[in-house]
Amino acid sequence: MSNLITLNNGIATISENEWTIVKLPTSQVKERKQAGKVVLFKLTGEETVTQEQIATTEIPASGQIIVPLTVFIARKAELQERLTGNQIGVWVDTHEVLEDLINNVSDLNSLPIIAIHVERFADGRIFSLGTLLRTRYGFKNELRAFGDVLRDQLYFLKRSGYNSYIIRTDRSAEQAIASLNDFTQPYQGAVDEPRPVFKRYNRVST
Amino acid sequence: MYKYDEIDQRLIDERVTQYYDQTRRYLAGELSEDEFRPLRLQNGLYIQRQAPMLRIAVPYGMLSSKQLRKLGDIAKKYDKGYGHFSTRQNLQLNWPKLEDVPEILAELATVEMHAIQTSGNCIRNITTDQFAGVAPDEIVDPRVIAEIVRQWSTLHPEFALLPRKFKIAVSGARYDRAVAQIHDIGMEFYKDNNNKVAIKIWVGGGLGRTPILGTVIREHLEWQHALTYCEAIIRVYNLHGRRDNTYKARIKILVKTLGIEEFKRQVEEEWSHLKNAPNTISESELARVSKHFEAMPYEALSAHNAIFDAAIASNPAFATWVKRSVRAHKVPGYRAVTLSLKPHGKAPGNATTEQMYVVADLADQYSFGELRVSHEQNLILADIKLSDLFAVWEKAHASGLATPNIGLLTDIICCPGGDFCSLANAKSIPIATAIQMQFDHLDYLYDIGDIELNISGCMNACGHHHIGHIGILGVDKDGSEWYQVSIGGSQGNNASLGSVIGPSFSADEMPSVVQKLIDVYIQERTPEEHFIDTVRRLGVAPFKAHVYADKSTTKLGVPYE
């Protein structure tokens, strides 16, 4: 059974995953990750991405693939033809900076999919990244959450613009699907419904 | 006060349904401890030393009599017949069962209450002035925007899992009673030169391990933009606040490290995209919510009342209580009354089920069926007629709610501490009660005058010790409980953080340490000075010198004979 939930026009279904994730090879370097505008706040204790890792990342010769942002940027020339053919998506980690993606692609919507990886479900940066991609940068194609994705965050992911979710493999996507609709009338405007409740209804004080 | 329509009601009903299922999945082993933690925390449930603790939201401190009765019922049915009012104007139950919590939330929902976001790394309960709407120095009733912010922040999808907790306080009076400067965001409403409601915004304040007063990020913001500007601030924080170290994860650390100029630049850049977005507050929404906070149907009364004057003249105990517990009201002939939850020798901020029922009855009979919780952990009846004050006093007195110590040394702000809280390093309630008993002498308390003593059982600072004129912090030294003392902290327009006077003390020493601080004040004060004024004039040195002069002191007993 697939663990991918996709949302189309408000209808959620379990779908087959047609995208292959391309991973960076494991690094020996135990440096601390320094991505981000504010280096100091990005000291997550994770390993940094080295040039060697980027260079030795194995990119399958064919098929639809999602490549790490660092690889996408460094090896763009090599990927260009497949990008035009809608075969390339980008993997963005929550500590990465969207400007790095925006500055390295002429039209964001030339990407059929952006997949945001959340290492710990409690990392709420994923919601701001989704919101920015949809509202600031006008991304219209598939926006996927993968990694530590659990049903109790689905409603927030949906509201933050995600329309594709790979539920963590030890959990049931079928059961998770219900949580997309935990609430019927949110108070505040967000990506899926920009109008706050007071602009959707004529609320009358009683 | 704000009353739910079907949209508000449906949302909290759905929240109850959601939490029933989350609890079920946790108990069935389908959710791990780690996965369940943020879910239960965002419904107010901590796992504590003795039992779980449930923190129920009291939005900006407003309660109806019906809600208070329900809280009393719940405390009796699911707990030990009492609750603790907190410095965030919420109510905490210390003994509920984890498996009962969904049912408690369902009961709360029947009176338009919930525990949403009373804990966890999200936007917490909005707090404000306990005299909102009735204070003579009020410019703008802060509860209207507070309610609009409450709705906006409830289940805000982008800010559901922030680096750390996020607290917002609002104030609309000349004198800030909401301590805006110790909040992640503090908003002060005022009328600008065009007589329009505007907001001054403070950011990056907070107590805890690293106490910092907030910095002004914006002197003037039109009220319509309150939500979008908060979104800009919290988005910058959500993306760039530290997530690797929980002690450095609050927004104050981000603001301090970036510097206010750079932080502001990033916020303003973000806001340039958000300004006038759909979450901008509309005139009609402001009008709709304002209707819930319209003036009560006050009677036209004289500013004086003969019955009241006679009672004052003939009953010294009543007169004493009035002096401390009764405040001016913007409508002639009315007063705001503070009921003390600080009887000497009992846990500060606690109320029994029976007391909750009594206060609910008093609210119904004398104060339009509403009351408030203050961050000083007392209860307020905001609209009492002068002619009713004596009756209110008699009934409150009979239920132990009329200790005339409001604003005095024994009106101690105190967290539940090591008796209940699993975070605490040390007990706080026994220190509070020991100090209360040391000073259980009203004439002496009056002579000492206005003073604020705040106690926290750990550096998380729920007892706001940094802003106490005297602050006491429980610390752990080699597994035993010690207490660090600071002086010179203050809330209000001249908010300040206290300075530690020196090495910490054992619990036994604490009453005499406070006694010595008071002795120095009594000796050094000028006739018009309160304790805080003397500390500010003289600095810490003379207090420190006296306290540490002879560490082998004996208890002083009641001095000043």
Side-chain angles (χ1 to χ4, degrees):
Chain A
M1 188 85 197
S2 169
N3 256 47
L4 172 65
I5 300 170
T6 53
L7 192 62
N8 283 305
N9 298 319
I11 311 217
T13 46
I14 309 286
S15 312
E16 282 309 313
N17 181 12
E18 292 166 345
W19 291 91
T20 305
I21 292 283
V22 175
K23 287 185 183 161
L24 290 158
T26 323
S27 164
Q28 301 304 312
V29 184
K30 289 286 177 194
E31 253 181 87
R32 299 184 110 192
K33 195 164 284 176
Q34 300 199 337
K37 275 186 270 193
V38 185
V39 172
L40 195 57
F41 304 115
K42 298 296 183 177
L43 299 174
T44 58
E46 301 159 80
E47 292 162 353
T48 185
V49 177
T50 63
Q51 290 308 312
E52 191 198 343
Q53 281 176 290
I54 293 170
T56 55
T57 297
E58 284 183 38
I59 301 179
S62 64
Q64 296 183 307
I65 54 169
I66 297 174
V67 301
L69 177 60
T70 46
V71 174
F72 177 79
I73 292 170
R75 297 169 64 179
K76 206 161 41 172
E78 182 184 336
L79 296 166
Q80 190 55 48
E81 198 177 321
R82 297 171 69 187
L83 184 62
T84 323
N86 282 337
Q87 300 290 298
I88 304 292
V90 176
W91 161 348
V92 179
D93 273 309
T94 51
H95 64 266
E96 290 180 310
V97 175
L98 288 179
E99 283 77 2
D100 289 345
L101 171 62
I102 308 305
N103 296 337
N104 281 286
V105 55
S106 54
D107 173 13
L108 198 61
N109 285 312
S110 67
L111 297 170
I113 184 169
I114 296 174
I116 312 281
H117 181 252
V118 63
E119 198 170 285
R120 289 169 48 248
F121 73 91
D123 182 353
R125 287 178 289 194
I126 191 169
F127 307 126
S128 284
L129 294 174
T131 302
L132 285 168
L133 281 169
R134 293 300 195 197
T135 57
R136 181 78 37 85
Y137 302 115
F139 183 62
K140 295 189 174 64
N141 301 325
E142 185 169 344
L143 182 58
R144 175 175 292 188
F146 76 112
D148 197 15
V149 177
L150 302 172
R151 70 177 279 182
D152 294 294
Q153 285 75 52
L154 281 189
Y155 175 75
F156 300 130
L157 287 169
K158 176 182 85 166
R159 296 223 66 212
S160 301
Y162 292 84
N163 57 357
S164 161
Y165 326 88
I166 300 209
I167 301 296
R168 207 173 71 193
T169 48
D170 62 331
R171 297 296 154 89
S172 155
E174 250 186 345
Q175 287 174 18
I177 231 170
S179 286
L180 282 166
N181 297 310
D182 275 350
F183 299 95
T184 44
Q185 289 297 350
Y187 278 130
Q188 63 295 104
V191 178
D192 62 336
E193 169 52 87
R195 295 168 304 164
V197 65
F198 57 83
K199 288 178 182 165
R200 303 197 301 272
Y201 293 93
N202 181 22
R203 298 182 82 181
V204 188
S205 45
T206 45
Chain B
M1 62 187 278
Y2 188 76
K3 291 194 175 54
Y4 282 9
D5 64 8
E6 65 275 14
I7 292 170
D8 301 298
Q9 187 65 46
R10 190 191 303 157
L11 189 135
I12 59 161
D13 289 346
E14 287 172 344
R15 178 67 159 191
V16 171
T17 306
Q18 182 194 44
Y19 192 64
Y20 263 112
D21 189 56
Q22 289 168 340
T23 304
R24 179 196 64 73
R25 282 187 275 137
Y26 169 69
L27 293 172
E30 294 170 33
L31 280 171
S32 70
E33 286 288 347
D34 278 355
E35 289 159 10
F36 185 54
R37 186 180 302 115
L39 308 178
R40 65 170 164 76
L41 287 176
Q42 297 207 9
N43 281 295
L45 186 64
Y46 284 77
I47 304 297
Q48 291 287 38
R49 204 159 283 217
Q50 312 278 0
M53 182 274 276
L54 180 65
R55 183 181 293 149
I56 297 163
V58 181
Y60 39 89
M62 290 292 300
L63 280 172
S64 69
S65 56
K66 189 178 165 190
Q67 290 174 328
L68 186 61
R69 277 193 198 93
K70 176 58 84 176
L71 293 175
D73 292 344
I74 288 172
K76 187 151 73 180
K77 186 169 165 190
Y78 299 97
D79 206 296
K80 295 190 173 179
Y82 69 91
H84 173 79
F85 288 97
S86 79
T87 49
R88 288 209 69 68
Q89 306 179 299
N90 290 322
L91 180 79
Q92 299 184 171
L93 298 176
N94 280 304
W95 308 92
K97 291 200 187 73
L98 183 141
E99 50 271 36
D100 285 343
V101 171
E103 205 173 304
I104 296 173
L105 298 181
E107 287 213 28
L108 287 172
T110 65
V111 292
E112 304 179 4
M113 293 190 82
H114 57 77
I116 299 172
Q117 291 167 216
T118 54
S119 179
N121 297 334
C122 52
I123 303 172
R124 303 285 191 87
N125 185 35
I126 318 295
T127 51
T128 193
D129 182 359
Q130 67 267 34
F131 299 109
V134 303
D137 69 336
E138 184 166 280
I139 303 159
V140 178
D141 188 337
R143 295 172 301 174
V144 179
I145 300 280
E147 173 58 26
I148 292 171
V149 173
R150 180 193 74 80
Q151 296 192 15
W152 161 82
S153 64
T154 300
L155 307 181
H156 196 301
E158 189 180 342
F159 308 134
L161 292 165
L162 295 170
R164 196 75 179 85
K165 60 188 170 183
F166 202 92
K167 298 175 176 180
I168 300 176
V170 296
S171 164
R174 284 193 175 77
Y175 184 81
D176 170 24
R177 283 173 290 268
V179 222
Q181 286 182 71
I182 64 161
H183 287 78
D184 297 281
I185 291 179
M187 296 195 219
E188 181 192 329
F189 304 113
Y190 65 97
K191 295 274 181 74
D192 66 13
N193 294 338
N194 301 316
N195 206 31
K196 293 251 166 64
V197 173
I199 315 173
K200 177 175 178 175
I201 299 183
W202 309 76
V203 72
L207 299 179
R209 189 175 289 258
T210 317
I212 302 176
L213 293 177
T215 313
V216 177
I217 185 167
R218 215 177 154 97
E219 289 283 351
H220 181 270
L221 183 78
E222 294 167 303
W223 62 268
Q224 295 91 323
H225 304 303
L227 304 182
T228 55
Y229 202 81
C230 284
E231 280 179 343
I233 291 174
I234 304 175
R235 179 174 292 167
V236 170
Y237 168 57
N238 190 39
L239 285 169
H240 303 302
R242 286 182 67 166
R243 290 172 183 269
D244 62 326
N245 180 341
T246 172
Y247 300 128
K248 296 186 173 178
R250 295 283 294 271
I251 193 175
K252 61 192 173 189
I253 304 293
L254 179 65
V255 173
K256 199 178 161 199
T257 312
L258 283 180
I260 186 65
E261 287 310 315
E262 172 58 16
F263 181 76
K264 182 181 166 126
R265 190 195 63 72
Q266 292 191 19
V267 169
E268 291 283 331
E269 154 66 17
E270 203 56 51
W271 191 56
S272 68
H273 299 282
L274 289 168
K275 190 179 179 184
N276 298 322
N279 281 337
T280 305
I281 306 166
S282 61
E283 292 275 358
S284 61
E285 176 64 355
L286 187 78
R288 178 185 80 89
V289 178
S290 296
K291 278 198 103 155
H292 291 280
F293 297 100
E294 277 178 352
M296 292 296 183
Y298 295 115
E299 293 170 35
L301 299 173
S302 150
H304 296 280
N305 179 277
I307 304 165
F308 171 72
D309 292 342
I312 290 280
S314 64
N315 191 321
F318 174 62
T320 302
W321 177 77
V322 167
K323 205 153 95 191
R324 294 311 312 184
S325 311
V326 174
R327 287 181 63 101
H329 193 292
K330 65 183 180 189
V331 177
Y334 284 86
R335 294 290 186 273
V337 166
T338 301
L339 300 172
S340 174
L341 297 182
K342 314 289 178 64
H344 296 174
K346 299 239 174 83
N350 278 13
T352 64
T353 291
E354 284 64 37
Q355 287 179 318
M356 292 185 220
Y357 292 159
V358 167
V359 177
D361 289 345
L362 286 172
D364 277 339
Q365 202 175 346
Y366 301 107
S367 199
F368 303 105
E370 292 183 3
L371 63 137
R372 296 103 183 277
V373 183
S374 67
H375 82 263
E376 290 94 348
Q377 304 174 288
N378 292 308
L379 297 177
I380 282 86
L381 297 169
D383 300 292
I384 307 286
K385 285 192 270 187
L386 267 179
S387 55
D388 288 336
L389 279 173
F390 189 75
V392 169
W393 172 70
E394 280 191 309
K395 289 174 188 176
H397 188 258
S399 296
L401 294 161
T403 311
N405 62 346
I406 302 304
L408 297 176
L409 185 61
T410 56
D411 184 10
I412 296 171
I413 292 181
C414 183
C415 72
D419 293 303
F420 298 99
C421 179
S422 55
L423 303 174
N425 289 325
K427 294 184 186 71
S428 50
I429 292 169
I431 303 303
T433 53
I435 293 167
Q436 285 174 331
M437 297 323 288
Q438 169 90 9
F439 292 90
D440 186 25
H441 188 297
L442 274 180
D443 290 340
Y444 184 42
L445 281 176
Y446 288 121
D447 180 52
I448 298 166
D450 287 6
I451 183 168
E452 295 176 3
L453 193 159
N454 299 357
I455 306 177
S456 306
C458 74
M459 75 288 284
N460 287 305
C462 296
H464 293 178
H465 63 277
H466 303 105
I467 56 163
H469 301 166
I470 298 175
I472 298 173
L473 165 66
V475 291
D476 177 87
K477 274 207 292 198
D478 305 326
S480 58
E481 299 182 354
W482 291 81
Y483 298 88
Q484 190 180 71
V485 175
S486 58
I487 58 173
S490 178
Q491 60 168 321
N493 293 10
N494 285 317
S496 56
L497 301 172
S499 311
V500 176
I501 61 168
S504 48
F505 304 93
S506 70
D508 290 350
E509 293 176 292
M510 283 314 300
S512 70
V513 168
V514 174
Q515 182 67 64
K516 286 180 174 182
L517 292 171
I518 296 301
D519 289 345
V520 174
Y521 159 64
I522 299 279
Q523 195 180 323
E524 300 291 337
R525 68 181 169 185
T526 64
E528 66 281 357
E529 271 183 344
H530 292 312
F531 179 85
I532 182 68
D533 304 318
T534 307
V535 174
R536 282 179 171 165
R537 178 168 57 81
L538 297 177
V540 171
F543 293 90
K544 181 175 178 168
H546 187 55
V547 169
Y548 292 97
D550 175 12
K551 272 277 270 165
S552 62
T553 52
T554 49
K555 293 228 173 104
L556 293 172
V558 176
Y560 215 70
E561 284 154 335

